[in-house]
Each structure stands twice: as C-alpha cells, then as structure tokens.
Amino acid sequence: MHTKSNPQKENSNNSKKPSIIDVAKLAGVSPGTVSNALNSSGYVKSSTKEKVLHAIKELNYIPNRAGRILKTNKTNLIMLAVPDTSNEIYFRMIESVQEYMKPKGYSILLYYTNGTLQEELRTLFLLRERVIDGLILVHFSYNEELFQAIESSNSPVVLISMCNHLWAGKGNPFDTISVDVHRGIYESTKHLINMGHSKIGYLAGKKGLTVYEQRYNGYCQALNDAGIKYRNDYVMWNDYTILAGNNSSRSLLLLQDKPTAICASNDHQALGSWQALQDMNIAVPSEIALVGMDNIISSKIIGLTSFDMHEDIMGNEAAKLLYSHLEENSNTFKDIYLVPSIRLRNSSIKLK
Amino acid sequence: MHTKSNPQKENSNNSKKPSIIDVAKLAGVSPGTVSNALNSSGYVKSSTKEKVLHAIKELNYIPNRAGRILKTNKTNLIMLAVPDTSNEIYFRMIESVQEYMKPKGYSILLYYTNGTLQEELRTLFLLRERVIDGLILVHFSYNEELFQAIESSNSPVVLISMCNHLWAGKGNPFDTISVDVHRGIYESTKHLINMGHSKIGYLAGKKGLTVYEQRYNGYCQALNDAGIKYRNDYVMWNDYTILAGNNSSRSLLLLQDKPTAICASNDHQALGSWQALQDMNIAVPSEIALVGMDNIISSKIIGLTSFDMHEDIMGNEAAKLLYSHLEENSNTFKDIYLVPSIRLRNSSIKLK
DNA sequence: CTGAAAGCGCTTACAG
DNA sequence: CTGAAAGCGCTTACAG
C-alpha cells in the first residue's frame, strides 16, 4: 500500500468553479443568453452563441445541476429499488431499465430495500424530497402504510411484484407490473406430473412472503387437479437460498418413501438441490428430476429446467410506463401481467 | 392488461407542495428557525421546536433537497460506475459500497460505462456538474484524456482496476485500488503444473484489454518459470463470455495433441469450457482439469477451482477512501493492491 | 434577438 | 434563542 499527499489538489480548491455569471461576463452577454445558448432555448444569434461557447471552453465551464433543478423542479434522476443484491434477476431488470432511460437523459439511482417495509417507505421519502423524479419499486410488502405513501407521493411510481399483484386492477394512481407465479409453479408441477412423476417434493421458500405463498398454492393446485394426494412431508418451508435448498433436499432424500422429483420455488434452492444430488451421487433426471424457477445463468450451465420470469421485459415496461408519466404527462395507469415461460432442459426430461 | 385513469391524481397537482415558508408561517416563526429545528443546528428553544414539528406534521412537509444542495453544495450522492452488468463480481462490489455508504447518509447512483472511454468520461462530467459528491470508477481505459478529466474534476475519485494498476504509485490526486491478476493467473497456471500438467490450454479473453493482457503474461511467465514450452495453438484469444469459452474449448479439444488442462482467464469462459466438456463427455478433472478466475456462484455450484478477487473488499475500501475525502477532508491518496486467493475445488485436483 | 429581474427552496452568518 | 436578509446557480417570462 502506497500513501502520498498532493499539495496541488489542496490549492486547486481555492479557484472556485466558474458559474454562469463568469461565462456571461467573459462573453459579454447576459446570463440568460448563456442559458439559452446552452440549452438551445429561445433565440440566440449564431455569432452570439459562438462567443458564449468560446467563453465556456475557456473557463472550462460545466453548469451546476443544482441550480437548474431548483428552478425547473426536475432532476432527471429516477430510482430503481430492488429487494436484494444477490439475485441475478434484478440485475437484468436494472440493465433493461438503464437501457431504456439512459438515452432519454435519465440516470438511475439504485437502492436496496432488503425487502423491508421501512426501506420501501424510505424510497418514497426520497421521492417526496425530490431527489428523484420517479420511482420503480420492486416491493415485498403489501401494507396499507406503503399504499398510502405511494398515493401521497404525488409523483410517478411503478410497482413491481415478483408475484401475482394484490393491488392490481383496483384503479390505483400508480402502475403495477407483476408475474403470475402461481401459474408458473402450477406449470412446473404439472410438467413433472406429465413426465410421469407423482411423488414430487417441493422446496417452498420462506414462509410468510406473499411471493412464496402464491407459488405454494400453485403446487398444491397442480397436485389437486391431477388427483395426487398432498403429502406434508414432501413440502419443505425453509429459506430461498442455495444453502436452504441443499439442506431441505437432503432431508427429502432421506425419507423412507422419497420423492422421484423435486420442484423448487426458485433457482437458488434448485441449485442447492442439484449440489446435494451430486454429492449423494444421485443421477438427474433418471433418479430424481429437478425443476427450478428464475432461469439464472447457473441453471443454463448445469442444464436445469427453469422458468424465465421476463425480468428484462419487466424492467423495460416499467421504464416505459415511468417515462410516459414523466415526459408525456400520461395520467393513465396500467397493470401489466406477465406469465413465466418454461425453459426445458435435461434436469426434468425423461430420457428414452 | 388493465387500464384506468385517475382524476384525483390530476387535481392533486394543484395543491403545490409546501415549502419551508409555509411551515414557518403556520408555526409563527422564521424560515431560518424552521431550518435550524429540522437540522438541529444553532439554538432552538424546545417549545419552539415543538411548534415547528407540529406545523411540519400538519402540512406533511418534506424539505426539497434541491434547495439545500444549491446552498450547501453537497448532494449526499456518490456514483459507482462499473463496466458491465453481466458480471456478478460488480454486484458484490455494489453491495459492499452500499453497505458502507448507506449508514453514512449517502445514496448510490449506479452507472454502466460499457467499458468505453466515452462513458467513463461521462461519469466525470456528472461529477463536475455536481450531480454527485464523489465517484468510484471501475475503469477499463488507460488514457491520457481520462487521467486529465480525473485530475481536473477537483472532486474525490477512487479508481478501481480489475487488473494491475498502471497508474498506481505515481502520486496521483486520486486513490487507486487494483488486483494483481498477473500473479493470479501465474498461480493458476502454476497450480495446474503442480498437479502434473504440462499441456495447458489457455482461454485468454479479449485481446487489447489491459485486464486480459496482464493475465496472459502471467500464464506465459508461469510456463516459462517451469521450463514448459509455450505453444501458440494452446492459446485462445476470443472473448470473455461463456459462449466464447465454450467455442474456444471445443477447438482446443479437437487438437491432435490436445491439452490435459485448461486455464481460463475468467469464470465465464471456464463455465463455457465446463459445458463443452460435459457435452463431449470428457471427465473433469481426470481427463481435463479446469481452473477459472472470479469465483462466481456457478463455479461454486459445479465445483470449479477459481480465484476470489476480493471484490467485496474492493468495494469496501473504495467506499472508505471516498468517505475519507468526502467527510474527513483527507488529502492523502492511497494505492491499494489486492491479491486474488485461490479457491480449490474438484475441477483441478488430482484424484488419488 | 438580448438583457434585467424575479424566483426556485433552502442555509447561514449576523445582529439583536 | 430568533429573525431579516443575502445568496447558492440556474431558468424563464417579459419588455424592448
């Protein structure tokens, strides 16, 4: 480690940054004209503009955005708030929001809510402080307080749920985007049934989270529709992590009458399951079939059947909706539903 | 999809947000006193503070941050700019920066540079526009223009390189953090040599990027130090993606005199390689040993030997350094070097 | 086509 | 302990 101090830097703080006034003086025009020249607003004679541009270059002037924001009440910043940082799915969402908004001149403020109501409310506070012009919130909470905070924010909000949206279709003053996870897990379970399985273990995720409760219902319904009896010992509520998936799978595989297939409510659990199966030398899919949900990179690598949640579309649609309120003064609010799409891979397909 | 409009929302825009003046009037005090009460600055009698707090609650007042920023010249925003979005390593960096800065009252503005000079320069522009107070830039470019832009930004910058830093130790007016990838790949190659391999294929990544050139040199040096002859047909320059790793590996495996081990300059390439080996039914590590670099989740899952780049430490140190300039007026600049740590797994360990 | 002036919403010495 | 006033750096009608 190398340490040094730099006297030059200290001194250079003395020379204050030039303001629009300095530019105006040097160019021999008024600050208003400098502003117009910079923003191509109003009329500016091209020779005047030249002079201004020269002065700007000379002073190495860059406008201070705070001045503009105060006057225009526009920050050109939007916030994308996601529950956590350990899930690829959010990164692809971030990417597509970024892709849409950047060319429109917006920057993205990123925020992690940890999935807590308190932090979710905090994002709405930042909105009201006018740190940002709009908010895309991937939320876990369904809480009256959150609802109120959104309503009273009086600014564009897009609410994204990684589940079936409980607040959709109720005429809310905000947009919602959601994904039909109930159907996703229903399809997932049904796929295993179609492959001839009737003993299907289920890695349910974390109890109490809407996101996982809905998925669980999909599993139950698929069994029910196929006339397969629900078995309590096949359902593992634990956590949505790789480790939890690993542990829960080991428990399932130690059962006297063990399942022939495992349906996981997300890919991380499925990956943990896959690891456990490798460790125990159990062949996939011939001995145990395996299906996940989220379609993350690791799943592609190991050939795990999974479900594309269309998080890229979610991000893109969210950005579009937000933009429509930001710039096009739309006061129409939409509820967008997406359906997960199965990505068939070797982990679940019966070998002939 | 459900569409609706909400007349209430339209109207509510009429009632402008309350300003500090409105609060002052209602509380019967001056705006300055409201400000002091809010920020616990100066002296405010507790009964006065009470009155102010009441008025704030009544009006549902939240201060507009632009006013404060303009006056204080402080945004409490920092930017973290990373090259791309498809690499987990940056997410863990984001996370640790977030973890450090959030409790200090800073928010993180995220930016993707795409690894281009143009976008890297853009981040410095935002710094000079005073959209942010400081910048952590994970850069690819080593360019005089970039260097100048940092120097003239006159604001705290921490430069992170995912390679051996070319600008470290030169008394620059900014901090640098870098990782000794040369040594990393040297160790990686040497590890394979120690395992008895002398025919070692190399997935080199993208030609022309400093990040990969340095790694390549590490490979060459390890061979050289062990007295193993360098073979041009064992070195695959391609891209740093999974797909590229897959394709290049297939080429290597089609060679007449094919390698017994593959060293990849990053994990994505190694994953592609692993896939190819699976497809071709080649056993790992007994037929081909495999080592990657980055230690991403997928590598842990499939048991790929890799290198921890300490990106969490990088993020944490970067945040600390930035903070020291932001709040503690440090004018000492540091260069921090990290060394990748090997994570031994089954893919490279000789079975007995 | 250009300039003078007001004002966006805060904070901060300063006087009392 | 509190208020009046200046000012941060812009933009925006408005007058000419």
Side-chain angles (χ1 to χ4, degrees):
Chain A
M1 188 145 51
H2 169 100
T3 297
K4 63 201 174 285
S5 81
N6 187 300
Q8 202 187 321
K9 177 93 171 207
E10 292 169 58
N11 297 337
S12 55
N13 283 330
N14 295 341
S15 62
K16 249 181 91 302
K17 286 192 177 159
S19 78
I20 201 168
I21 309 266
D22 302 315
V23 176
K25 274 182 193 152
L26 184 60
V29 299
S30 75
T33 299
V34 175
S35 174
N36 284 331
L38 262 169
N39 302 311
S40 310
S41 56
Y43 300 88
V44 183
K45 217 201 309 180
S46 70
S47 64
T48 311
K49 192 165 181 175
E50 283 291 290
K51 277 193 294 178
V52 171
L53 261 27
H54 252 139
I56 286 174
K57 192 160 259 171
E58 181 128 332
L59 294 174
N60 204 357
Y61 167 72
I62 295 185
N64 180 327
R65 205 125 115 183
R68 168 199 281 254
I69 291 173
L70 188 55
K71 187 66 187 171
T72 62
N73 205 22
K74 191 106 182 44
T75 64
N76 280 303
L77 243 44
I78 65 154
M79 173 172 279
L80 175 57
V82 300
D84 74 289
T85 175
S86 66
N87 201 332
E88 268 176 55
I89 232 172
Y90 299 124
F91 306 135
R92 286 195 289 273
M93 205 182 278
I94 294 170
E95 189 176 20
S96 55
V97 170
Q98 191 92 231
E99 202 167 286
Y100 187 89
M101 294 307 273
K102 214 161 157 178
K104 312 274 192 196
Y106 283 86
S107 301
I108 316 291
L109 196 57
L110 188 68
Y111 200 90
Y112 292 112
T113 63
N114 240 325
T116 63
L117 174 63
Q118 197 199 349
E119 291 285 354
E120 289 175 2
L121 288 170
R122 175 97 187 111
T123 64
L124 289 154
F125 187 82
L126 290 169
L127 190 58
R128 295 196 53 206
E129 265 187 307
R130 309 250 10 103
V131 174
I132 48 174
D133 293 336
L135 169 68
I136 299 173
L137 173 59
V138 184
H139 74 305
F140 274 3
S141 312
Y142 279 101
N143 182 291
E144 185 58 26
E145 207 179 340
L146 183 69
F147 190 94
Q148 293 292 347
I150 299 171
E151 276 209 302
S152 70
S153 77
N154 231 297
S155 299
V157 174
V158 179
L159 215 53
I160 298 185
S161 305
M162 297 310 285
C163 62
N164 303 70
H165 214 302
L166 299 179
W167 292 342
K170 298 201 175 154
N172 310 308
F174 51 81
D175 301 301
T176 75
I177 298 184
S178 52
V179 50
D180 192 345
V181 289
H182 181 276
R183 173 143 162 218
I185 290 294
Y186 182 89
E187 299 288 346
S188 177
T189 310
K190 198 170 146 199
H191 163 62
L192 290 169
I193 295 170
N194 289 343
M195 290 288 127
H197 299 279
S198 58
K199 298 181 180 179
I200 303 172
Y202 185 62
L203 305 178
K206 199 163 193 170
K207 207 153 193 163
L209 291 183
T210 309
V211 183
Y212 288 106
E213 300 284 357
Q214 293 178 346
R215 294 176 196 209
Y216 170 69
N217 293 336
Y219 166 76
C220 294
Q221 197 185 321
L223 292 187
N224 193 56
D225 287 2
I228 296 171
K229 199 169 150 247
Y230 174 90
R231 290 180 55 160
N232 208 39
D233 56 342
Y234 279 3
V235 174
M236 309 298 289
W237 286 100
N238 192 341
D239 197 354
Y240 45 74
T241 61
I242 295 176
L243 184 62
N246 192 307
N247 290 334
S248 293
S249 297
R250 284 173 196 275
S251 306
L252 283 175
L253 297 165
L254 291 176
L255 289 176
Q256 206 68 349
D257 183 22
K258 63 170 174 257
T260 60
I262 294 178
C263 174
S265 56
N266 77 345
D267 270 359
H268 273 180
Q269 289 171 87
L271 293 181
S273 194
W274 189 84
Q275 269 189 319
L277 292 163
Q278 297 287 308
D279 286 353
M280 297 166 89
N281 268 310
I282 298 176
V284 176
S286 54
E287 292 178 74
I288 295 276
L290 187 59
V291 180
M293 173 170 256
D294 279 351
N295 201 34
I296 67 178
I297 291 175
S298 300
S299 306
K300 294 174 196 166
I301 301 279
I302 65 171
L304 174 71
T305 292
S306 192
F307 283 80
D308 186 338
M309 305 292 271
H310 306 299
E311 63 277 7
D312 48 345
I313 298 180
M314 295 182 121
N316 184 263
E317 290 292 336
K320 269 194 218 160
L321 287 170
L322 199 63
Y323 187 76
S324 77
H325 293 109
L326 253 20
E327 302 271 321
E328 294 154 6
N329 278 312
S330 157
N331 43 30
T332 304
F333 299 95
K334 288 184 181 165
D335 297 309
I336 294 181
Y337 301 97
L338 297 168
V339 180
S341 306
I342 196 164
R343 296 289 175 253
L344 286 173
R345 301 201 180 91
N346 287 335
S347 74
S348 68
I349 294 174
K350 197 127 243 173
L351 308 170
K352 279 154 199 170
Chain B
M1 188 143 55
H2 171 100
T3 297
K4 62 202 176 284
S5 81
N6 187 300
Q8 202 187 318
K9 177 92 169 208
E10 292 168 58
N11 296 338
S12 54
N13 283 331
N14 295 342
S15 60
K16 249 181 90 303
K17 286 191 177 160
S19 79
I20 201 167
I21 308 265
D22 302 315
V23 176
K25 274 183 192 152
L26 184 60
V29 298
S30 75
T33 299
V34 175
S35 174
N36 284 331
L38 262 170
N39 302 310
S40 309
S41 56
Y43 300 88
V44 183
K45 217 200 311 178
S46 71
S47 64
T48 311
K49 192 165 182 174
E50 284 290 291
K51 276 193 294 179
V52 171
L53 262 27
H54 252 140
I56 285 174
K57 191 159 260 173
E58 181 128 332
L59 293 174
N60 204 356
Y61 168 71
I62 295 186
N64 180 326
R65 205 125 116 183
R68 168 198 282 255
I69 292 172
L70 188 55
K71 188 66 188 171
T72 62
N73 205 22
K74 189 105 181 48
T75 64
N76 280 305
L77 244 43
I78 66 154
M79 173 172 279
L80 175 56
V82 300
D84 75 288
T85 176
S86 64
N87 200 332
E88 267 176 56
I89 231 172
Y90 299 124
F91 305 136
R92 286 195 290 272
M93 205 182 279
I94 295 170
E95 189 176 21
S96 55
V97 170
Q98 191 93 233
E99 204 167 283
Y100 187 89
M101 294 307 274
K102 213 163 159 178
K104 312 274 191 194
Y106 283 85
S107 300
I108 316 291
L109 196 57
L110 187 69
Y111 199 88
Y112 293 113
T113 63
N114 239 324
T116 63
L117 174 64
Q118 196 199 351
E119 292 284 354
E120 290 174 1
L121 289 169
R122 174 98 187 112
T123 64
L124 289 154
F125 187 82
L126 290 168
L127 190 58
R128 297 197 53 207
E129 265 188 307
R130 309 251 9 106
V131 173
I132 48 175
D133 293 336
L135 168 69
I136 298 173
L137 173 59
V138 184
H139 74 306
F140 274 2
S141 311
Y142 281 101
N143 183 290
E144 186 57 27
E145 206 179 341
L146 182 68
F147 190 94
Q148 294 291 350
I150 299 170
E151 276 209 302
S152 70
S153 77
N154 231 295
S155 299
V157 174
V158 179
L159 216 54
I160 298 184
S161 305
M162 298 311 286
C163 62
N164 303 71
H165 213 303
L166 298 179
W167 292 342
K170 299 202 176 154
N172 309 307
F174 50 82
D175 301 301
T176 74
I177 298 183
S178 51
V179 50
D180 193 345
V181 290
H182 181 276
R183 172 144 163 218
I185 290 294
Y186 182 89
E187 299 289 346
S188 177
T189 310
K190 198 171 146 197
H191 163 62
L192 290 169
I193 295 170
N194 289 343
M195 290 288 125
H197 299 281
S198 58
K199 298 182 180 178
I200 303 172
Y202 185 63
L203 306 178
K206 201 164 192 169
K207 207 153 193 162
L209 291 182
T210 308
V211 183
Y212 289 106
E213 299 284 357
Q214 294 178 345
R215 295 177 196 208
Y216 170 70
N217 293 336
Y219 166 77
C220 293
Q221 196 184 321
L223 292 187
N224 193 56
D225 288 0
I228 297 171
K229 197 165 152 253
Y230 175 89
R231 291 180 55 159
N232 208 39
D233 55 341
Y234 280 1
V235 174
M236 309 299 288
W237 286 100
N238 192 338
D239 198 352
Y240 46 74
T241 60
I242 296 176
L243 184 62
N246 192 306
N247 290 334
S248 293
S249 298
R250 285 173 196 274
S251 305
L252 283 175
L253 297 165
L254 290 176
L255 288 177
Q256 206 68 351
D257 183 21
K258 62 170 174 257
T260 62
I262 294 178
C263 174
S265 56
N266 77 346
D267 271 359
H268 273 181
Q269 289 170 88
L271 293 180
S273 193
W274 189 85
Q275 269 187 322
L277 292 163
Q278 298 286 308
D279 286 354
M280 297 166 89
N281 267 311
I282 298 176
V284 176
S286 55
E287 291 178 75
I288 296 275
L290 187 59
V291 180
M293 173 171 254
D294 280 351
N295 202 33
I296 67 178
I297 291 175
S298 300
S299 306
K300 294 174 196 165
I301 302 280
I302 65 170
L304 173 71
T305 293
S306 192
F307 283 80
D308 187 338
M309 306 293 270
H310 307 299
E311 63 276 8
D312 48 345
I313 299 180
M314 295 182 120
N316 184 263
E317 290 293 336
K320 270 194 216 161
L321 287 170
L322 198 63
Y323 187 75
S324 76
H325 293 110
L326 252 20
E327 302 271 321
E328 295 152 7
N329 278 313
S330 157
N331 42 31
T332 303
F333 300 95
K334 288 184 180 165
D335 296 309
I336 294 180
Y337 301 97
L338 297 167
V339 180
S341 306
I342 195 164
R343 296 287 175 255
L344 287 173
R345 301 200 180 92
N346 287 335
S347 73
S348 67
I349 295 174
K350 197 127 244 172
L351 308 169
K352 282 156 197 173

